[in-house]
Amino acid sequence: MKYIIGLVGMLLPLLSINAQIKNTATIISGKVISASGNLPLRGVSVTLAQQKSTTYTDDSGAFTFSLTSANEILTVSHIGFYSQRIPVSINMSLPLLITLQDSTVKLDEVVVNTGYQYIPKERATGSFVHIDNELLNRRVSTNILDRLEGVTSGLIFNPGSTQNGSRPSNEKLGITIRGRSSIDEKVNADPLIVLDNFPYEGDINNINPNDIESITVLKDAAAASIWGARAGNGVIVITTKKGRMNQPLQIEFSSSFTTGKKPDLFYSSNFLQSSDYIDAEKFLFDKGYFNSDISNTTSRPPLSPAVEIFAKVRAGSLSQTEANSLLDELKKNDVRNDFSKYVYRKSAKQQYSISLHGGSSLTSYFLSVGYDKNAENLIRNSFERFTLNSLNNFTPFKNLVITAGI
């Protein structure tokens, strides 16, 4: 018993010393600054992970906290900056100097090309839409107008062709920008196409979309102050890719292959079965509907196979038994099967493009070669195109650029 009391008496001082160490807190101080400008940051969150305590920096970027454990992880975070995790201990040198890196991304300034000059978006008057290269390449097509559909507000596509009268003959492109400037069908109603700062009167289908860097669509009267009355229907400004000065040779290659299914001719319910169609022709034949066509020996209008059979039976050149056999064969036939087999096919569209560009201190060059081959759903409807584009710029001295292009 005496020995136990003595041992307890020896341990009590040690426990008291240990308790004093645990109750002693180390004051840690520091300062948070930004990497750009070394400016103090106010309101930065400083958190101790184990102690689960948080403090914030003051106007001078300074902070203090009490560290009760030997080792701790300090998390420093602020809006617009990358967070940092720093190990701290009671033996480290003070005060701390913490530098936060800026995490904000500077947006590229949008520059509007009017075909006459480049101006910042803030200075551009009127209404316009800017389509950059990334947005332009979201859709795969050999026609540049197809790539504008669905991504350009105010640009209306008029399907069909001028041959069947579905749109006026003065709308060759099949597009309008915010309506038309004139109702006179003798006046060109197409928007003005400006290619690399010059009006382009050629076929827009000849322009390879892979050679285009950006497109700006000018949609109101502000464009007329630049291009005159011809811009009354809107302006589509196309900027092609170019080489850059002081750039080594760059080679780019792109290819795409798109395929589509055959049209489903049996999808629509607006069709009669062959047997029902022949029964309808029989009803009309008995009422004399085809008599004038049968007796017409001058222009000889075409007759369906069933009507010809009915006429031969009435004329006595074909027996009813033979006619019924021929009609049964016709009722088993569906012309949609023949169309699907001999007229339609799966579509396949191929596109290949390779370009070389670069430049020296005085010159820049861009050369591209493209090949496109499309097989449409209708057999023998195909499209094949080979394009070559070359553009060279020479700058002998400041403010003078000599351009040669093919």
Side-chain angles (χ1 to χ4, degrees):
M1 186 66 178
K2 181 170 65 177
Y3 291 107
I4 294 176
I5 294 174
L7 181 60
V8 172
M10 295 175 60
L11 291 176
L12 284 175
L14 295 177
L15 293 174
S16 177
I17 295 172
N18 190 26
Q20 292 178 3
I21 294 175
K22 289 185 176 180
N23 293 331
T24 302
T26 303
I27 302 301
I28 302 295
S29 61
K31 184 177 182 180
V32 182
I33 62 175
S34 64
S36 57
N38 295 329
L39 300 176
L41 297 176
R42 180 182 181 275
V44 178
S45 173
V46 182
T47 304
L48 296 174
Q50 298 178 12
Q51 295 181 196
K52 297 181 180 179
S53 60
T54 302
T55 185
Y56 297 91
T57 59
D58 57 17
D59 292 339
S60 62
F63 66 90
T64 59
F65 60 86
S66 299
L67 182 64
T68 59
S69 59
N71 297 290
E72 185 54 280
I73 299 297
L74 188 68
T75 302
V76 184
S77 60
H78 194 51
I79 297 176
F81 295 86
Y82 291 106
S83 300
Q84 287 194 27
R85 291 172 58 86
I86 304 172
V88 295
S89 63
I90 58 176
N91 298 323
M92 65 188 309
S93 59
L94 300 174
L96 299 175
L97 183 61
I98 303 172
T99 304
L100 295 183
Q101 298 289 335
D102 190 356
S103 65
T104 57
V105 179
K106 184 179 180 181
L107 298 177
D108 294 334
E109 182 182 15
V110 177
V111 178
V112 180
N113 181 14
T114 64
Y116 176 75
Q117 63 180 349
Y118 292 88
I119 55 178
K121 176 182 177 181
E122 292 75 14
R123 292 180 52 197
T125 60
S127 178
F128 65 91
V129 176
H130 179 75
I131 302 100
D132 57 13
N133 189 259
E134 180 180 357
L135 184 59
L136 198 64
N137 290 327
R138 286 186 181 181
R139 188 169 184 177
V140 179
S141 174
T142 55
N143 187 355
I144 186 58
L145 293 180
D146 292 340
R147 299 197 181 192
L148 297 180
E149 187 174 6
V151 299
T152 310
S153 61
L155 185 61
I156 303 172
F157 285 78
N158 306 317
S161 62
T162 58
Q163 295 179 356
N164 55 22
S166 59
R167 69 168 187 259
S169 58
N170 58 343
E171 294 183 8
K172 297 180 180 180
L173 297 180
I175 59 174
T176 55
I177 299 177
R178 285 189 172 181
R180 300 177 57 183
S181 63
S182 174
I183 61 175
D184 188 356
E185 294 192 2
K186 296 181 180 180
V187 178
N188 191 344
D190 287 330
L192 174 64
I193 306 297
V194 177
L195 178 64
D196 287 336
N197 304 332
F198 286 92
Y200 178 75
E201 299 295 342
D203 188 358
I204 195 172
N205 294 320
N206 292 335
I207 303 176
N208 190 343
N210 293 310
D211 293 339
I212 297 177
E213 180 64 29
S214 65
I215 293 179
T216 303
V217 180
L218 309 178
K219 301 187 294 183
D220 61 0
S225 64
I226 303 173
W227 295 103
R230 181 67 177 83
N233 297 311
V235 183
I236 299 178
V237 181
I238 301 176
T239 304
T240 61
K241 296 178 180 179
K242 300 175 179 63
R244 296 182 180 179
M245 299 177 67
N246 299 315
Q247 183 186 63
L249 174 64
Q250 303 286 327
I251 301 176
E252 295 181 3
F253 175 77
S254 64
S255 65
S256 64
F257 178 80
T258 308
T259 183
K261 294 182 179 180
K262 283 184 180 182
D264 186 2
L265 302 182
F266 293 87
Y267 178 79
S268 176
S269 59
N270 297 326
F271 285 91
L272 282 177
Q273 297 292 335
S274 299
S275 57
D276 296 333
Y277 190 84
I278 292 175
D279 291 339
E281 286 187 315
K282 175 61 177 173
F283 175 81
L284 295 174
F285 180 83
D286 294 338
K287 299 296 183 179
Y289 180 80
F290 299 103
N291 289 343
S292 60
D293 291 339
I294 295 173
S295 59
N296 188 346
T297 58
T298 305
S299 60
R300 297 184 179 276
L303 300 173
S304 70
V307 174
E308 289 183 349
I309 293 175
F310 299 149
K312 290 180 181 180
V313 172
R314 188 174 62 181
S317 60
L318 187 66
S319 66
Q320 189 63 48
T321 302
E322 294 175 333
N324 292 336
S325 178
L326 293 174
L327 290 174
D328 289 339
E329 291 296 326
L330 289 175
K331 290 180 179 180
K332 296 177 183 179
N333 185 31
D334 194 325
V335 71
R336 289 175 292 180
N337 292 322
D338 297 330
F339 269 86
S340 181
K341 183 177 181 180
Y342 299 108
V343 178
Y344 290 101
R345 63 184 173 185
K346 293 182 178 180
S347 64
K349 299 181 179 181
Q350 307 173 58
Q351 193 170 24
Y352 307 94
S353 176
I354 185 172
S355 64
L356 296 85
H357 55 90
S360 63
S361 59
L362 297 178
T363 62
S364 64
Y365 58 89
F366 179 86
L367 175 65
S368 70
V369 178
Y371 175 72
D372 305 280
K373 185 177 182 181
N374 297 346
E376 304 296 341
N377 287 120
L378 283 172
I379 294 178
R380 298 185 66 181
N381 276 20
S382 59
F383 169 81
E384 193 170 7
R385 180 182 66 189
F386 178 82
T387 59
L388 175 65
N389 183 24
S390 175
L391 186 66
N392 296 272
N393 291 327
F394 176 63
T395 308
F397 50 85
K398 188 177 180 180
N399 296 332
L400 177 62
V401 179
I402 301 175
T403 301
I406 299 176

